[in-house]
Amino acid sequence: MAGPGRYVGDVTEGITRVEDLPQAKVSQRRRNYRRRLCPECGRSAYRVRTVVRRLHDLGDPVCGRPRDIQITYSQHHCPGCGVYFNADMDDLALPKSHYTYRVVHAAVRLVVEDGLPYRLASWHLWREHRVFVPFATIQNWVEAGGKKVRHTHRR
Ligand SMILES: [Zn+2]
């Protein structure tokens, strides 16, 4: 039966090879500085290198493609206390995470608010937001407490 409410399967259903999935749109961000203040002692710390990090964000539901953010950022070394640290990216993602806060929050909401099991939440994120998150990762986020994640986000 034709009409706006007719069932249309996900275009990626049945695809088994990663390279056949829609390509991510990549947007560039820069957090690359010559100098930053040391978070430990407050002295000025020079950049020692520039690094690139890729984060998976919520995708584009209109064109059905995933979205990645590529951040070019600086790493610094403090001559005062010897500490190494990165340019601040706490507004975008947790340290070492491969996903933006937007993905983490969407995933935690699916489980906590909508009561979806982890596997279904994982599938929903792919189908509606074009971001692939293994269900075990979602489970870690939920068990770590949505609280902690939200807390770090609001600074
Ligand atoms: Zn220092």
Side-chain angles (χ1 to χ4, degrees):
M1 196 176 143
R6 76 190 187 282
Y7 171 74
V8 179
D10 187 276
V11 291
T12 64
E13 210 166 319
I15 292 181
T16 51
R17 299 192 314 166
V18 175
E19 55 270 33
D20 293 337
L21 291 171
Q23 289 281 305
K25 276 167 115 173
V26 182
S27 50
Q28 306 283 339
R29 301 280 173 86
R30 294 184 75 78
R31 298 288 162 89
N32 197 5
Y33 310 98
R34 289 259 290 286
R35 274 183 278 179
R36 292 272 93 182
L37 292 183
C38 171
E40 301 294 327
C41 71
R43 283 181 66 165
S44 181
Y46 276 99
R47 174 176 62 205
V48 284
R49 67 177 73 84
T50 300
V51 192
V52 173
R53 175 186 186 190
R54 185 71 85 97
L55 290 172
H56 304 304
D57 199 4
L58 293 179
D60 181 344
V62 176
C63 66
R65 285 169 62 186
R67 224 167 71 95
D68 283 354
I69 297 176
Q70 186 157 294
I71 315 163
T72 305
Y73 66 97
S74 43
Q75 286 185 336
H76 301 262
H77 180 241
C78 174
C81 65
V83 115
Y84 286 88
F85 63 94
N86 295 334
D88 192 11
M89 291 173 278
D90 288 356
D91 56 319
L92 289 173
L94 285 169
K96 300 207 165 76
S97 175
H98 297 291
Y99 299 93
T100 63
Y101 279 117
R102 297 204 291 181
V103 175
V104 178
H105 293 162
V108 171
R109 276 198 301 270
L110 287 173
V111 175
V112 174
E113 288 181 16
D114 305 337
L116 291 190
Y118 298 121
R119 281 172 198 276
L120 260 182
S122 173
W123 168 239
H124 179 98
L125 284 173
W126 172 256
R127 199 186 58 192
E128 306 300 330
H129 302 292
R130 284 296 183 254
V131 58
F132 176 71
V133 188
F135 78 91
T137 303
I138 300 176
Q139 187 169 4
N140 287 341
W141 290 340
V142 171
E143 285 171 4
K147 254 185 290 162
K148 198 156 77 183
V149 171
R150 271 194 293 271
H151 203 74
T152 324
H153 187 37
R154 280 195 205 130
R155 282 154 39 96

